[in-house]
Amino acid sequence: MSFFMSSSAQWLDDTLDTMCLVMPDVLEREREIAEKKWFAYRFMTPLAATKQFAELYTKGFKAYIRFNRDRDEAELRQGLGQKIFHKPNRSLTELWHARQRADELGLPYDLLIEFGFEFARKGGWKNAPRPMQLFGSVESDIAWPIEIERFLDDRLPLFVDKFAGLPQYRVENYRNLPVQDAFRTYLADHIAVSTKPWASRLAGPCIEKRHLPLLKAIKLVPKDQRWRVTTELRAERDSELLVEAPREALPEIAFVSACFGLTAAHDADSSPCTSCPFGAKCLHMAKIASAEMIKRHGSVSRLKDERDEKRKAGQRRRTARCRARKKAAPLKSSPAAI
């Protein structure tokens, strides 16, 4: 699955599918969590991120059934319907909310899902947790945060070391974007607290993945060790012991944030939109997406219109029943009616 959009046309198709599947109020939250996501998902559309979350959840679900029940049963169970992304449904809404919750906490989906199923297993849950149950239950509202913090303290550093990263974070694609600076700061902090030899700490992010410029990262090293560490790294690179990530030329659409094109016009002057380098283009693309939705479906959100109509129809039925009861009440109390 692609981590980012390779063209504006691909982005538009993905966004239109999203607008057909999810209510506008759910999409509005994407802007609130866009800057909180784990770095691997910052350039993914909400639909692409939710599909990846679903894929990882399904694997975790099968593993849970395989471990707690039966191997053959695990092969038959999906955890989620195979057609969950074909049309709006409750399971998709729950899945979407679970993915948004993970983004709000800034958690890698892999680690969250692994922990969620493990937490349920240790808690003796008879059934595998649903997507939103990966965050525990009412009874575990105190234990869950404590346990996942311990889990992350142990697993997250290794996860960061293995993170292959995205081409958007490589030095040749640096565009002074806030998310790129935030990622570099995160990596620098991670390197600073590591206990590995300095050359090993810098080899991955500076040479193999090219996430950090070596001239800047070397400043993290004590001054009396910098020359030796630099010499070691250059020797390893020249001897081809370190394999560098491929260089990729990316289109501009590949750098937009996850909430791109989902911002309504009245949100244009609100933070964080005001500081977004793609703010103007975001509004432009949002208008294109809205116009295309009206062209194809007659509405910006056919799902919202259908639900609004159902709500109004229900209100009309309730009003009619109430009026009928009021009309019948005088007849029952009248002597002539006895």
Side-chain angles (χ1 to χ4, degrees), residues 46-180:
L47 181 58
T50 306
K51 286 183 176 180
Q52 181 169 351
F53 190 94
E55 181 180 338
L56 294 169
Y57 172 83
T58 298
K59 291 180 180 178
F61 182 90
K62 284 181 173 293
Y64 187 92
I65 298 298
R66 188 180 301 113
F67 183 86
N68 291 278
R69 294 188 183 181
D70 180 77
R71 180 182 298 272
D72 294 334
E73 180 184 354
E75 297 306 315
L76 298 174
R77 300 283 296 276
Q78 296 294 325
L80 300 169
Q82 293 183 346
K83 298 182 179 180
I84 189 172
F85 289 99
H86 287 204
K87 62 180 181 180
N89 57 82
R90 291 183 179 180
S91 294
L92 176 58
T93 300
E94 180 188 8
L95 179 71
W96 206 284
H97 282 305
R99 191 269 303 162
Q100 287 184 326
R101 177 61 175 156
D103 287 339
E104 183 179 36
L105 295 175
L107 297 174
Y109 303 155
D110 316 54
L111 296 186
L112 165 68
I113 292 171
E114 179 186 347
F115 172 80
F117 280 110
E118 182 67 12
F119 185 82
R121 187 187 66 78
K122 290 182 177 178
W125 291 30
K126 181 178 180 181
N127 298 316
R130 295 289 302 166
M132 281 302 294
Q133 292 176 326
L134 293 171
F135 302 91
S137 62
V138 176
E139 292 76 15
S140 61
D141 62 336
I142 296 178
W144 192 92
I146 296 175
E147 291 301 319
I148 195 171
E149 184 173 354
R150 292 174 180 171
F151 175 82
L152 293 174
D153 285 344
D154 181 56
R155 296 291 304 281
L156 190 56
L158 181 61
F159 188 87
V160 175
D161 287 338
K162 291 185 176 181
F163 177 51
L166 303 178
Q168 288 92 331
Y169 293 125
R170 294 175 193 152
V171 292
E172 65 269 20
N173 290 321
Y174 181 69
R175 295 191 174 193
N176 294 299
L177 297 177
V179 62
Q180 293 174 323

Side-chain angles (χ1 to χ4, degrees), residues 35-40 42 105-108 111 151-163 165 169 177-194 201-202 205 209 211-212 217 220:
E35 295 183 343
K36 301 177 181 179
K37 292 170 173 279
W38 173 245
F39 293 103
R42 297 287 183 98
L105 295 175
L107 297 174
L111 296 186
F151 175 82
L152 293 174
D153 285 344
D154 181 56
R155 296 291 304 281
L156 190 56
L158 181 61
F159 188 87
V160 175
D161 287 338
K162 291 185 176 181
F163 177 51
Y169 293 125
L177 297 177
V179 62
Q180 293 174 323
D181 291 332
F183 183 61
R184 288 185 173 189
T185 299
Y186 183 88
L187 279 183
D189 292 341
H190 173 71
I191 291 171
V193 299
S194 175
R201 298 190 210 183
L202 302 186
K209 304 169 187 176
H211 289 156
L212 285 175
L220 298 170

